Amino acid sequence: MLARYGDLPSRWALVRNYHQAKVVRAVVTPEEVTRYALDILVSKPAGVEKAEFEFIFDLTQIAQDRKSKVVGSAAIQAIRDDPRLQDPLTLGAIMGQIAFAPDACGSVLAAAKKAGIDGVGSDGCDEDTRTALIAFAREKGAAGVDAAARKAAADGIKTLDAQAAK
């Protein structure tokens, strides 16, 4: 719940453990861990080491679980929701890293084509595709996925607080 609310240490704990702990994968979706990892990569919180490698491990686990298809749409939603990901250098650095994960770039490309994004390249991690994703995000505005998750988590926290007060 704290990760959905936006708590970076909670998000990092899930990203760091997603690929190695079935219990984490049982409660965190591939879409969520993708968004959390992207948030960690742009936030660069203190004490977080090698976030890029953990994200690649997570993407590899997602591919092994045959759920790579959702990574691309989650990435596009994250780019729409987080203006920091709309910076070409930032997104370029992140896409350069995830290019090492199986199916990740292909998933981004497939999701971009499915969303009807114009100007995509031949690879989901290439410069043309990154430019097209940024233009799409700026044109369409926020997807609202992260905001909805934060609101639901805030409501859940209020419910727990009310129950604890009884």
Side-chain angles (χ1 to χ4, degrees):
M1 191 175 301
L2 289 174
R4 289 182 181 115
Y5 186 69
D7 180 68
L8 285 175
S10 298
R11 286 182 171 193
W12 175 237
L14 296 173
V15 168
R16 190 183 58 213
N17 292 294
Y18 183 87
H19 65 279
Q20 54 194 353
K22 284 184 181 184
V23 67
V24 173
R25 292 192 304 277
V27 296
V28 178
T29 68
E31 296 93 339
E32 288 173 321
V33 80
T34 299
R35 288 195 314 271
Y36 299 164
L38 290 169
D39 185 27
I40 294 291
L41 290 171
V42 296
S43 297
K44 298 180 180 161
V48 171
E49 299 283 327
K50 300 182 180 182
E52 297 87 358
F53 291 110
E54 295 295 342
F55 189 30
I56 291 168
F57 295 149
D58 292 348
L59 292 172
T60 301
Q61 182 63 53
I62 291 168
Q64 289 173 350
D65 293 342
R66 300 179 192 264
K67 296 180 180 179
S68 292
K69 188 179 191 181
V70 301
V71 169
S73 59
I76 292 171
Q77 291 168 350
I79 294 165
R80 287 182 62 190
D81 282 343
D82 191 338
R84 300 171 300 174
L85 289 168
Q86 296 172 22
D87 174 74
L89 294 176
T90 300
L91 187 58
I94 291 170
M95 297 303 264
Q97 291 292 318
I98 70 166
F100 294 102
D103 301 332
C105 295
S107 176
V108 171
L109 184 61
K113 287 180 177 180
K114 184 176 181 182
I117 298 174
D118 293 327
V120 296
S122 60
D123 181 290
C125 293
D126 65 16
E127 186 175 347
D128 290 339
T129 302
R130 290 190 309 266
T131 300
L133 292 173
I134 291 169
F136 177 79
R138 290 177 179 165
E139 178 187 325
K140 293 293 185 182
V145 174
D146 201 42
R150 286 176 194 256
K151 183 182 179 331
D155 292 345
I157 292 168
K158 286 179 190 174
T159 300
L160 290 174
D161 283 345
Q163 291 172 351
K166 289 182 182 181

